[in-house]
Every structure is written in C-alpha cells, then in structure tokens.
Amino acid sequence: MNFSRRFRASVSALLGVASAAAVTVGGVLAATAPAAAQEPPGPPLRNVKYTVFAEQPFYVDIYYRDVDPPNWAAYSHNPYSFSPKAKAQIGPDQQWNLDVQLADPDQWAMVTATSGPGEAKPNIHCVLAVDGVVVATDQGPKGALCSIRSW
C-alpha cells in the first residue's frame, strides 16, 4: 500500500472518529441544557395599589407586601422579611400611595397602618385595588388593615 492511500485511509478514519465525537458531545450538551430555559413563564403580574390616609394629620407605621413570597413556609418563618415598613405623614389631603406587581394578590396583597401608642385617634383608612378595581377597604380610629387573603 502506498503512502498516499494510507494517508487518505488515516484521514478518513480520523474524520469518522471526529464526526462521531461531535455527535456524542452535541447530544450530551443538548441533554444537559438547563431546564429553566425550557420552562414556561410564570403567571402574569397584576397591579396592586395601596392607599392610606387619615382624617387628622398624623405619622403612621405602614406595613405592606411588595413581593410574592415563594411559599407559605418561607413567609410564616419570617413574615417581616416580606413586609417592608414605611413611616409616613398622612392626613385628609395627604395620602400614602404605592403601586406594586404581584403574581397572586388574592394570597399576598396586604397593607396595614397604625398610629401606635398614645391617645390620638386620627381615624386611619386604607384602600387596596387590584388591576384598578377596589377589592378591600378598612378604617379604624388607630389603624386599618386591607387584605383579600383567606387566612
């Protein structure tokens, strides 16, 4: 067998091995692609609007939910990590408003405001709207809680 025929046979054998390796690697890469890239997107986010005001000017503490906790266990382990606190001066002409986006407002939308200890009774009001529709209101002399959750 002459050199050129052996060379062509060697090259042909190498190309066959390289081709088989490429197919194998391609198959392995395709099989190990991250599953997250193939998952459908989550539920659509819904607009939640929180409004707090009072009949008398007053500083209040406001707790609200601005993200969906990943599950009940995570929330119940530390609810305050999912419920930021704001301090705001409110009154009849001074509202505190916040728009957030939640995937499950029926479960997680919530706003509460309190005037704290003391004799003052500013008569606090809250309003919770989802996608532009008011779904909960409350009022009380020293605080109010707006939520649509079932628990």
Side-chain angles (χ1 to χ4, degrees):
M1 193 189 279
N2 69 24
F3 175 76
S4 116
R5 205 177 290 160
R6 278 188 288 168
F7 180 76
R8 274 189 255 134
S10 295
V11 168
S12 208
L14 282 174
L15 287 176
V17 169
S19 176
V23 168
T24 301
V25 169
V28 168
L29 289 177
T32 59
Q38 299 169 359
E39 290 180 12
L45 294 178
R46 304 193 43 212
N47 180 263
V48 176
K49 182 173 185 150
Y50 302 127
T51 302
V52 177
F53 62 95
E55 293 177 17
Q56 304 296 320
F58 209 83
Y59 280 97
V60 295
D61 291 333
I62 301 169
Y63 288 93
Y64 57 92
R65 193 105 56 251
D66 62 349
V67 297
D68 292 86
N71 54 50
W72 174 254
Y75 172 77
S76 64
H77 178 68
N78 189 359
Y80 289 102
S81 68
F82 299 101
S83 305
K85 177 183 176 183
K87 289 183 172 279
Q89 182 170 359
I90 59 173
D93 298 322
Q94 192 170 9
Q95 296 182 347
W96 177 87
N97 295 291
L98 181 67
D99 285 288
V100 301
Q101 304 296 311
L102 297 176
D104 189 1
D106 292 340
Q107 180 76 8
W108 300 115
M110 180 279 305
V111 65
T112 184
T114 61
S115 61
E119 298 297 319
K121 295 179 180 172
N123 204 20
I124 300 169
H125 296 252
C126 65
V127 179
L128 189 157
V130 177
D131 297 331
V133 177
V134 173
V135 294
T137 62
D138 192 27
Q139 68 89 40
K142 295 185 65 59
L145 166 66
C146 285
S147 173
I148 50 178
R149 63 186 181 224
S150 59
W151 40 275

